[in-house]
């Protein structure tokens, strides 16, 4: 089968930064699905893994953590899917990624693709939806019942990014007042269209920005951009007994003592944890994706696809990486084999 990978951590303008090669088609075992990949999305994690590290790999590494495709074959323990099913998923950090003609993925982290979305639209959704859903309803322990959240507020830092675009919708649908950070006119318009009631500028002092809206504290904070720059602001803004979650890595130690008097909670969200450690609740990712799929079909959630490239090859994958690296992407970029 054809795959796209890298052996060196090169600048994306270098043709060898991502190149096509042939590799044997894998065989599914156990809970594995063999999926024929029709569309993939590129996320910041793709860029980080491709650029990070040193030296040269002995064999090409295939990355990619968003896909939509068709189940071709199944392992002997599969019970959730059958050949011919159309699926979408983010995959695992420990296995070859979706930038290939076929991919093995555990059924327990796969969802049924939304019927109302095409392959490109469906491929834009899994990683960001899983991250946003887990951060809100598992790590921050939000209720999914909107009546429980009528007086609650949440600050989402970087609301126009991939995860933020889903989190604003999910939080708004759950009844919370959403304050999302955005710094450009187009990103401000984007977050308001995706569920934010208010916007603040994360390039300014967030404490002043939020308090100028009339809120001394917020009940929840979801940090999606730069935890080091915003940590002190978050500790000041979080309500006593409130909760903060973050998906970004800190480069210097986090001073948790700043949350002591407020008895506030802090939690990390890493979408890959369940598949990385094969946790006992791994199949919740299947359930979450099916929930997201239903909400998309019922138009309770909007697809966040904003840019489509075709066909799925190394040239277009490099273009997509370049777009994500720019840091100015609003929504998601997808590479698809679908004809326009």
């Amino acid at each position: 089968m054809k795959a796209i990978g890298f052996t060196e951590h090169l600048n994306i303008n270098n043709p060898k930064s991502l190149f096509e090669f042939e590799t044997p088609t894998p065989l599914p075992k156990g809970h594995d699905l063999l999926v024929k990949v029709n569309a993939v999305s590129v996320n910041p994690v793709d860029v980080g893994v491709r650029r990070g590290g040193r030296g040269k790999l002995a064999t090409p590494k295939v990355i990619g953590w968003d896909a939509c495709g068709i189940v071709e074959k199944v392992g002997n323990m599969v019970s959730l899917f059958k050949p011919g099913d159309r699926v979408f998923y983010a995959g695992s950090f420990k296995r070859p990624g979706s930038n290939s003609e076929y991919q093995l993925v555990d059924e327990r982290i796969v969802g049924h693709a939304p019927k109302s979305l095409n392959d490109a639209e469906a491929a834009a959704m899994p990683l960001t939806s899983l991250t946003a859903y887990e951060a809100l309803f598992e790590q921050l322990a939000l209720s999914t019942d909107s009546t429980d959240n009528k007086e609650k507020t949440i600050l989402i830092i970087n609301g126009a990014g991939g995860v933020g675009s889903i989190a604003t919708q999910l939080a708004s649908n759950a009844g919370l007042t959403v304050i999302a950070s955005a710094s450009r006119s187009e990103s401000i318009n984007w977050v308001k269209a995706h569920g934010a009631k208010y916007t603040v500028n994360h390039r300014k002092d967030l404490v002043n920005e939020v308090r100028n809206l009339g809120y001394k504290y917020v009940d929840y904070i979801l940090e999606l951009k730069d935890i080091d720059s915003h940590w002190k602001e978050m500790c000041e803004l979080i309500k006593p007994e409130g909760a903060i979650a973050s998906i970004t890595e800190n480069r210097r130690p986090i001073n948790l003592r700043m949350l002591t008097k407020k008895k506030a909670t802090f939690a990390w969200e890493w979408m890959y944890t369940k598949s990385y450690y094969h946790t006992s609740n791994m199949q919740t990712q299947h359930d979450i994706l099916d929930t997201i799929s239903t909400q998309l079909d019922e138009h309770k959630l909007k697809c966040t696809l904003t840019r489509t490239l075709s066909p799925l090859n190394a040239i277009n994958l490099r273009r997509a990486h370049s777009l994500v690296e720019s840091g100015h992407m609003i929504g998601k970029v997808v590479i698809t084999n679908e004809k326009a």
Side-chain angles (χ1 to χ4, degrees):
M1 68 174 185
K2 182 180 78 173
I4 304 168
F6 63 90
T7 56
E8 298 176 88
H9 307 279
L10 303 171
N11 186 289
I12 196 60
N13 294 322
N14 190 319
K16 293 183 179 179
S17 61
L18 288 166
F19 60 87
E20 296 174 22
F21 65 98
E22 292 289 328
T23 188
T25 303
L27 295 173
K29 298 177 181 178
H31 286 282
D32 285 341
L33 308 176
L34 178 67
V35 178
K36 186 180 190 306
V37 177
N38 292 333
V40 303
S41 181
V42 173
N43 295 281
V45 64
D46 298 66
V47 172
V49 172
R50 194 208 79 244
R51 289 196 309 194
R54 298 178 180 177
K56 188 171 184 177
L57 304 174
T59 56
K61 182 178 180 65
V62 178
I63 57 174
W65 291 285
D66 260 335
C68 178
I70 303 295
V71 177
E72 291 272 324
K73 297 179 182 178
V74 301
N76 63 325
M77 295 176 67
V78 168
S79 62
L80 301 173
F81 299 94
K82 63 184 183 304
D85 284 348
R86 183 167 170 265
V87 296
F88 73 149
Y89 55 89
S92 166
F93 211 72
K94 298 178 79 172
R95 306 183 76 174
S98 56
N99 297 335
S100 56
E101 191 175 359
Y102 294 92
Q103 182 185 9
L104 287 183
V105 61
D106 192 300
E107 64 169 339
R108 293 168 290 185
I109 57 172
V110 175
H112 294 90
K115 296 180 177 65
S116 60
L117 270 56
N118 62 31
D119 290 345
E121 292 167 333
M125 302 303 292
L127 184 147
T128 53
S129 296
L130 284 167
T131 302
Y133 196 99
E134 289 185 354
L136 293 174
F137 302 114
E138 294 180 357
Q139 302 308 89
L140 290 177
L142 288 177
S143 171
T144 56
D145 186 344
S146 60
T147 59
D148 295 334
N149 301 316
K150 283 185 177 179
E151 305 299 322
K152 301 291 181 65
T153 54
I154 183 169
L155 170 63
I156 298 176
I157 300 175
N158 193 29
V163 176
S165 300
I166 306 298
T168 53
Q169 296 182 73
L170 290 172
S172 177
N173 290 347
L176 287 97
T177 297
V178 178
I179 304 168
S181 82
S183 60
R184 295 176 289 146
S185 59
E186 56 265 45
S187 56
I188 290 170
N189 292 335
W190 175 269
V191 297
K192 285 184 175 179
H194 287 78
K197 184 173 183 179
Y198 303 108
T199 62
V200 291
N201 190 338
H202 49 247
R203 298 186 187 280
K204 298 181 180 180
D205 186 320
L206 281 177
V207 176
N208 291 335
E209 290 280 289
V210 171
R211 289 184 176 165
N212 285 340
L213 295 174
Y215 294 95
K216 183 176 182 179
Y217 301 124
V218 292
D219 296 278
Y220 304 97
I221 299 176
L222 177 56
E223 193 285 310
L224 306 171
K225 182 67 174 178
D226 182 354
I227 191 170
D228 292 318
S229 296
H230 299 301
W231 180 251
K232 289 182 180 179
E233 296 169 328
M234 292 192 293
C235 292
E236 173 60 31
L237 285 170
I238 195 65
K239 186 178 181 179
E241 298 188 335
I244 302 171
S246 172
I247 70 167
T248 61
E249 293 183 3
N250 56 306
R251 291 179 175 81
R252 54 181 181 265
I254 294 171
N255 184 4
L256 289 174
R257 290 181 180 178
M258 296 181 72
L259 298 176
T260 303
K261 289 183 179 178
K262 288 185 174 178
K263 201 171 68 175
T265 301
F266 174 73
W268 295 111
E269 163 58 24
W270 196 49
M271 189 279 300
Y272 304 104
T273 296
K274 294 171 184 176
S275 58
Y276 194 91
Y277 293 102
H278 273 240
T279 59
S280 60
N281 66 340
M282 189 167 85
Q283 193 167 313
T284 56
Q285 292 208 331
H286 161 74
D287 300 331
I288 292 169
L289 285 173
D290 273 4
T291 296
I292 295 295
S293 182
T294 299
Q295 291 187 13
L296 285 163
D297 285 338
E298 293 176 349
H299 306 293
K300 294 178 181 177
L301 287 178
K302 297 178 184 177
C303 175
T304 55
L305 174 66
T306 54
R307 184 75 181 270
T308 304
L309 303 174
S310 182
L312 179 48
N313 58 25
I315 292 174
N316 281 326
L317 193 59
R318 290 196 297 269
R319 287 175 181 166
H321 272 245
S322 183
L323 286 168
V324 174
E325 281 189 41
S326 74
H328 298 299
M329 272 292 299
I330 296 177
K332 297 293 296 294
V333 57
V334 169
I335 311 97
T336 178
N337 283 321
E338 283 184 312
K339 295 180 180 179

